């Protein structure tokens, strides 16, 4: 009876050890990782412009009134161009002292307006009008959301087809009958001006009392979509 009991204990211990043993990792044979991408240079179709006014006055109330008047005038001028979006930006007022920094000399104020449009002609005409009172801080160009999404969808299809073509070529190179897709990730890279940022800075050209329209060079941005994944030969 004692020998039988010991034998049962050994068998139980062996069973428990087998139950808690770490399972062996499954080997995935004939799996290959590959990638493909599709890219395109896109014409920038959205213009952004920042303009500002800077005025000085010994009386802060008069300074604020002068700046508010010019800002209101700018907003009203922009109403003539419904395809151009305009909004007020940062505004600040600060004291200016003499060189010894003891005596207040005057107050100085600065206000900004931001312009955005896909209608370059209308935007340039508005900027030309505003430059009679405003200075142009910067003008730059990007791809609009609507155009970016459209191109993204097209590049996703191109990248996917390129991935499939590479997968088929590898299948034939390895003398396999077919393959199955294991996983696939599609990523869209951030786009930027190509090959370098192309900015059109404002040029205040006056012809008598009129301000000439600015010549705009929007440039291009590059967008890339990549497809990364794994396939398994059958």
């Amino acid at each position: 009876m004692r020998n039988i009991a010991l034998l049962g204990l050994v068998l139980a211990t062996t069973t428990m050890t087998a139950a808690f043993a770490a399972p062996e990792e499954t080997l995935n044979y004939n799996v290959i990782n590959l990638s493909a991408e599709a890219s395109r240079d896109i014409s920038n179709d959205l213009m952004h412009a920042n303009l500002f006014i800077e005025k000085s006055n010994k009386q802060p109330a008069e300074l604020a009134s002068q700046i508010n008047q010019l800002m209101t005038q700018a907003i009203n001028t922009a109403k003539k161009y419904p395809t151009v979006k305009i909004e007020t930006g940062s505004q600040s007022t600060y004291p200016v002292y003499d060189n010894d920094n003891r005596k207040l000399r005057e107050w100085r104020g600065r206000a900004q307006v931001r312009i955005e449009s896909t209608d370059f002609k209308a935007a340039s005409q508005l900027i030309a009008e505003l430059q009679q009172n405003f200075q142009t801080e910067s003008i730059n160009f990007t791809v609009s959301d609507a155009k970016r999404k459209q191109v993204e969808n097209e590049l996703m299809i191109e990248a996917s087809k390129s991935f499939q073509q590479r997968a088929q070529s590898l299948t034939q190179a390895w003398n396999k009958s077919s393959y199955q897709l294991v996983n696939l990730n599609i990523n869209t890279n951030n786009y930027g001006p190509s090959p370098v940022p192309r900015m059109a800075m404002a040029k205040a050209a006056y012809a008598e009392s009129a301000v000439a329209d600015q010549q705009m060079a929007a440039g291009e941005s590059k967008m890339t979509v990549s497809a990364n994944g794994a396939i398994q030969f059958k």
Side-chain angles (χ1 to χ4, degrees):
M1 289 293 294
R2 183 178 180 182
N3 292 337
I4 295 176
L6 289 174
L7 179 60
L9 180 61
V10 171
L11 290 174
T13 304
T14 304
T15 303
M16 292 178 62
T17 302
F20 285 98
E24 294 184 1
E25 294 184 1
T26 303
L27 296 178
N28 293 320
Y29 295 99
N30 298 325
V31 174
I32 293 182
N33 297 312
L34 68 151
S35 63
E37 67 177 28
S39 60
R40 188 182 303 174
D41 290 327
I42 316 163
S43 297
N44 295 320
D45 65 333
L46 182 63
M47 183 177 75
H48 309 267
N50 292 326
L51 294 87
F52 70 95
I53 50 172
E54 195 169 71
K55 299 292 181 180
S56 300
N57 198 299
K58 292 185 177 181
Q59 301 298 325
E62 293 180 6
L63 175 63
S65 177
Q66 184 181 15
I67 289 178
N68 289 340
Q69 182 179 358
L70 290 174
M71 293 291 283
T72 301
Q73 181 180 335
I75 298 299
N76 291 333
T77 301
K79 292 179 180 179
K80 297 189 299 182
Y81 304 93
T83 58
V84 181
K85 177 184 177 182
I86 187 172
E87 62 181 15
T88 56
S90 60
Q91 299 187 36
S92 61
T93 303
Y94 54 93
V96 178
Y97 296 92
D98 288 333
N99 293 333
D100 57 8
N101 201 27
R102 294 181 179 178
K103 185 178 180 180
L104 178 64
R105 187 175 66 190
E106 62 183 7
W107 290 85
R108 186 168 298 163
R110 191 179 192 274
Q112 182 189 64
V113 292
R114 292 191 289 262
I115 291 174
E116 181 179 291
S117 180
T118 56
D119 187 344
F120 292 173
K121 182 177 180 180
S124 64
Q125 290 175 348
L126 174 59
I127 292 172
E129 286 195 50
L130 295 181
Q131 279 182 325
Q132 298 180 56
N133 295 308
F134 285 73
Q135 298 181 58
T136 303
E137 187 172 41
S138 66
I139 299 177
N140 59 80
F141 301 87
T142 60
V143 178
S144 63
D145 288 341
K147 189 172 184 179
R148 177 181 57 80
K149 291 178 181 177
Q150 175 188 347
V151 176
E152 269 185 6
N153 290 336
E154 295 172 357
L155 290 178
M156 286 172 62
I157 296 174
E158 291 181 18
S160 297
K161 289 183 177 179
S162 179
F163 184 93
Q164 294 176 56
Q165 291 173 357
R166 288 192 171 189
Q168 188 62 40
S169 297
L170 288 172
T171 301
Q172 295 174 359
W174 285 87
N175 296 320
K176 301 297 182 180
S177 60
S178 62
Y179 72 90
Q180 63 181 6
L181 182 65
V182 177
N183 60 70
L184 179 65
N185 296 311
I186 296 180
N187 302 305
T188 303
N189 297 337
N190 294 329
Y191 62 90
S194 172
V196 292
R198 301 178 66 178
M199 307 281 287
M201 299 304 297
K203 295 180 181 178
Y206 291 85
E208 297 180 354
S209 61
V211 183
D213 295 348
Q214 296 186 62
Q215 299 299 318
M216 300 298 177
E220 295 180 334
S221 294
K222 188 168 187 175
M223 184 180 296
T224 302
V225 173
S226 59
N228 305 282
I231 62 172
Q232 186 175 36
F233 296 139
K234 292 182 179 180

